[in-house]
Amino acid sequence: MNTARKAAIALAAVSAMALTACGPTEDGAAGGSGTPSASASPTASATAGPGASATAGPGATPSKSAAPKKTASPSKPPKPGATDPDYDVFPCSTLDVTFTANLAEPTTSSYLLKITNKGTKACRALGHPIVTFGDLDGQATERGAAPGIEDALRLEPGQTAYAGLMGGANDGKGKSVDSIALTMNTESDLKQTPLKASTPGLYVSPSKNSVTAWMDNAEDALSL
């Protein structure tokens, strides 16, 4: 090989080496593996205190915190009398009523006793009236049954109750009196002022004078 050709071959080889050293390689081309890729930014970790939830990453939908449940308020106790309209209706005493006695049957000396509520509030006429005879000892015996306290006759202001007082024929064992006195059954030791009524010629015979329970009409009071 002549000297000129050798020189040309050598020059071509040097040029090829220079181009390889300066130009980009295939790996470094766009999309090649030689191009360094951008590193993903690290997700900042939340500094959570005790009981705190972790911070959601990008794109996560934050969860809604549950609304606090309402605590039901305790029900209020019913007011007195809300269910029982008679809770404050007390037994009638002689302070609450007026009293009269009228002759109903002359042959038997029977009298119709009547009380009327003179107050401004209702009261209950309990059981039998308590009847005494003038200055004599003892009282009229109870005739017939009486309702219990819950079913006793209720008297609104101005309303009236009746009882029948049975006298007796003169058998020579008793005594006539011109007046009687009445007090009310109050199921207590309430002090009462006896109410008096005139009963001319009422004959009081031992164990024969009796009185009915309070009723809402005169007919029933006199028929027992």
Side-chain angles (χ1 to χ4, degrees):
M1 182 180 298
N2 57 33
T3 303
R5 187 176 180 179
K6 288 181 180 180
I9 294 172
L11 181 59
V14 172
S15 298
M17 291 178 63
L19 288 173
T20 302
C22 296
T25 63
E26 290 183 3
D27 290 339
S33 61
T35 303
S37 60
S39 61
S41 59
T43 302
S45 61
T47 304
S53 59
T55 304
T61 303
S63 60
K64 295 181 179 180
S65 59
K69 295 182 178 179
K70 294 183 178 180
T71 304
S73 57
S75 59
K76 295 181 179 179
K79 295 181 179 180
T83 57
D84 181 6
D86 293 334
Y87 82 102
D88 62 346
V89 179
F90 296 101
C92 301
S93 75
T94 56
L95 302 177
D96 304 312
V97 299
T98 59
F99 168 56
T100 61
N102 296 300
L103 183 63
E105 177 55 56
T107 58
T108 59
S109 289
S110 296
Y111 278 80
L112 178 66
L113 311 183
K114 182 173 75 172
I115 57 169
T116 301
N117 184 355
K118 67 177 183 179
T120 58
K121 295 179 64 176
C123 65
R124 287 192 179 278
L126 299 187
H128 295 72
I130 302 168
V131 179
T132 55
F133 304 99
D135 57 356
L136 300 181
D137 293 334
Q139 64 188 50
T141 59
E142 296 178 355
R143 184 167 80 253
I149 186 170
E150 293 182 357
D151 299 317
L153 188 60
R154 172 176 174 146
L155 298 181
E156 298 292 342
Q159 286 189 331
T160 297
Y162 304 88
L165 175 64
M166 180 66 71
N170 189 341
D171 57 5
K173 299 179 181 179
K175 185 178 179 180
S176 294
V177 296
D178 292 331
S179 67
I180 59 174
L182 175 140
T183 53
M184 301 291 294
N185 180 358
T186 62
E187 293 285 340
S188 70
D189 57 356
L190 176 67
K191 186 176 180 179
Q192 300 179 71
T193 301
L195 301 177
K196 295 184 178 182
S198 177
T199 56
L202 173 62
Y203 189 78
V204 181
S205 179
S207 304
K208 289 187 178 181
N209 300 95
S210 59
V211 65
T212 68
W214 291 113
M215 300 185 183
D216 62 2
N217 66 89
E219 184 178 355
D220 288 344
L222 292 172
S223 63
L224 288 181

